Amino acid sequence: MCKYASFFHLPSTGEVKVAVLDSHGETEKKLNLDPKIWREGHYTPDGNIELRFADDDRVDRVEYKTAFENRFPNFKTFMKWANKQDVTVGGSLYLNGLTSAKDLVLPKTIGGWLYLSGLTSAKDLVLPKTIGGSLYL
C-alpha cells in the first residue's frame, strides 16, 4: 500500500488514471491497465510528484512533468480530480504533510486510518462518511 496518492500515467498521451488511491496493484486490476504501457506515479501531500518511466519511453521528461504540474498544480488539486474518478482507499491515507484543510477533498470512505496530524487548523475540513480505522488530527 502507498502512503500517498498513487496513480498511473500514460507517457504517450499524458493520460492519468486512478481507482484505488493507496494501491497501484489494485488500480491496475480494477481498471485492467496494461503495465507494459502504463507507468506508476505518486503525488505526496508535501507537493512532491514522482512520475516513473521505462527506459524506452520516448518523452521529454522535463516537459512531461511540467505539463503534469500545470494540470495538477498542487496535491489538493490532484485529490479533487481523483475524487471525481470515484476513487477508493482500501487502507490508510497518510496526509501528514498538509497544514491546511482548505480546498481538500477526501474520499467518501477510507478503509484504514486517516492521518491529518500536520494540520494547524481543521477549518473547512470535511471528513469522510466512513473511516475504518483511527483518525489522527
Side-chain angles (χ1 to χ4, degrees), residues 20-49:
V20 182
L21 204 56
D22 60 327
S23 173
H24 287 109
E26 293 301 316
T27 290
E28 183 182 319
K29 283 185 221 172
K30 188 172 182 179
L31 298 179
N32 197 28
L33 299 178
D34 181 353
K36 293 177 184 171
I37 61 171
W38 287 91
R39 307 294 179 242
E40 295 178 355
H42 296 108
Y43 209 140
T44 61
D46 64 3
N48 185 40
I49 301 168

Side-chain angles (χ1 to χ4, degrees), residues 74-117:
N74 57 55
F75 180 78
K76 290 177 182 176
T77 304
F78 179 84
M79 287 291 288
K80 189 174 188 177
W81 169 83
N83 280 297
K84 290 180 182 175
Q85 312 311 304
D86 197 28
V87 296
T88 61
V89 177
S92 298
L93 190 57
Y94 299 82
L95 301 178
N96 292 340
L98 296 179
T99 57
S100 167
K102 184 172 174 44
D103 298 324
L104 176 63
V105 179
L106 294 169
K108 293 176 186 162
T109 300
I110 297 175
W113 299 350
L114 175 58
Y115 293 88
L116 291 167
S117 59

Side-chain angles (χ1 to χ4, degrees), residues 43-91:
Y43 209 140
T44 61
D46 64 3
N48 185 40
I49 301 168
E50 177 188 359
L51 298 166
R52 295 180 183 164
F53 295 93
D55 291 339
D56 60 346
D57 287 335
R58 297 177 188 259
V59 61
D60 181 316
R61 295 175 189 194
V62 173
E63 286 181 19
Y64 188 92
K65 186 172 183 184
T66 298
F68 186 92
E69 290 170 334
N70 288 337
R71 181 173 178 193
F72 305 111
N74 57 55
F75 180 78
K76 290 177 182 176
T77 304
F78 179 84
M79 287 291 288
K80 189 174 188 177
W81 169 83
N83 280 297
K84 290 180 182 175
Q85 312 311 304
D86 197 28
V87 296
T88 61
V89 177

Side-chain angles (χ1 to χ4, degrees), residues 111-132:
W113 299 350
L114 175 58
Y115 293 88
L116 291 167
S117 59
L119 294 179
T120 55
S121 168
K123 184 177 183 213
D124 298 326
L125 178 63
V126 177
L127 292 171
K129 290 184 179 187
T130 306
I131 300 173

